[in-house]
Amino acid sequence: MENIAIIPARSGSKGLKDKNIKLLNGKPLIAYSIEAALESGMFSKVMVSTDSEKYAEIAKKYGAEVPFLRSSDNSGDNASSWDVVKEVLQKYSNQGIQFDSVCLLQPTSPLRNAEDIVNGYNLLREKGCNAVTSVCECDHSPLWCMTLSDDLSLKSFRESISDIPRQKLSKYYRINGAVYVRTIKYNADGCVELLSESECAYIMEKEKSVDIDYEYDFIIAEAMMNYK
């Protein structure tokens, strides 16, 4: 299979300025996803999609390709990661370069490693599915969650909450944002379609599922790296 890894790294992060190139344990955040993709050996291309020349130079330093910058249409807050993926694939297709699959690797998951990427692709083959998405176990069961009324009363919650011990509750999982594999279909004129009607979950450890949004997430991720 011809596979491409796409790492989206726009420069306009509002929650934390320049989050995608902020240093984590001495390296820019995007470097961890680039290195994991390269180390996995799964890809004919490891590409960073960015709207910034500065980000592009950092990405190239760590071994990624940045053959073009992201369009202004996909550089704003309303553009999804999948909009970015489709734009990249379409630009390659227009150049006569097509792939069997794409792996979206968000730079905000720096503890995801090459093994996770390989395992995701192994699952794709073993299950015969056309999409894989990484998940991890939830920290707390949703059965222990609630909404609150204006009076902050816990009465209705106490009436509905289960007394089953935590160890006997069913496991719940959440998408952790670390690995997304999608097979690709091209129509006659080269337009791109991402297939996901048969999607399987790749279960990752909670310890590797830190998702970087805020300053304290950097502290947690760095602590986990140094602990390991």
Side-chain angles (χ1 to χ4, degrees), residues 1 3-8 33 36-37 40 42-43 45 47 80-86 89 100-110 112-124 129-136 173-184 194-196 198-204 209-213:
M1 292 179 69
N3 310 317
I4 180 173
I6 299 177
I7 301 164
S33 293
S40 75
M42 296 300 302
F43 306 107
K45 289 188 182 295
M47 188 271 185
S80 72
S81 294
W82 294 115
D83 292 331
V84 171
V85 166
K86 288 180 179 178
L89 294 175
D100 298 297
S101 80
V102 58
C103 184
L104 170 62
L105 298 172
Q106 306 208 78
T108 48
S109 297
R112 169 250 295 115
N113 58 25
E115 181 182 16
D116 294 311
I117 297 169
V118 172
N119 288 344
Y121 271 96
N122 287 341
L123 186 66
L124 189 79
C129 53
N130 55 28
V132 165
T133 299
S134 60
V135 302
C136 67
Y173 296 86
R174 63 175 178 85
I175 293 173
N176 68 354
V179 178
Y180 298 88
V181 180
R182 298 290 184 269
T183 50
I184 305 168
L194 300 178
L195 304 180
S196 60
S198 59
E199 182 180 7
C200 292
Y202 166 56
I203 301 173
M204 286 177 57
S209 299
V210 175
D211 187 19
I212 303 287
D213 279 318

Side-chain angles (χ1 to χ4, degrees), residues 26-56:
K27 287 192 293 193
L29 186 61
I30 57 171
Y32 293 95
S33 293
I34 295 169
E35 290 175 344
L38 293 170
E39 186 182 340
S40 75
M42 296 300 302
F43 306 107
S44 53
K45 289 188 182 295
V46 174
M47 188 271 185
V48 168
S49 172
T50 182
D51 57 341
S52 163
E53 292 283 2
K54 178 181 178 181
Y55 281 35

Side-chain angles (χ1 to χ4, degrees), residues 85-189:
V85 166
K86 288 180 179 178
E87 176 183 79
V88 170
L89 294 175
Q90 193 61 63
K91 286 189 174 184
Y92 275 116
S93 181
N94 293 344
Q95 299 171 16
I97 304 171
Q98 296 186 346
F99 304 92
D100 298 297
S101 80
V102 58
C103 184
L104 170 62
L105 298 172
Q106 306 208 78
T108 48
S109 297
L111 300 183
R112 169 250 295 115
N113 58 25
E115 181 182 16
D116 294 311
I117 297 169
V118 172
N119 288 344
Y121 271 96
N122 287 341
L123 186 66
L124 189 79
R125 289 193 297 269
E126 291 166 6
K127 296 295 185 182
C129 53
N130 55 28
V132 165
T133 299
S134 60
V135 302
C136 67
E137 188 178 347
C138 295
D139 290 328
H140 303 289
S141 171
L143 300 177
W144 289 355
C145 298
M146 75 197 88
T147 58
L148 287 172
S149 57
D150 291 341
D151 64 2
L152 303 182
S153 172
L154 285 172
K155 183 176 184 298
S156 60
F157 176 69
R158 288 298 184 189
E159 290 171 351
S160 63
I161 190 172
S162 171
D163 289 329
I164 300 173
R166 176 181 61 83
Q167 294 83 354
K168 293 186 177 180
L169 290 172
S170 298
K171 287 185 178 181
Y172 284 80
Y173 296 86
R174 63 175 178 85
I175 293 173
N176 68 354
V179 178
Y180 298 88
V181 180
R182 298 290 184 269
T183 50
I184 305 168
K185 179 181 178 181
Y186 296 91
N187 65 19
D189 59 1

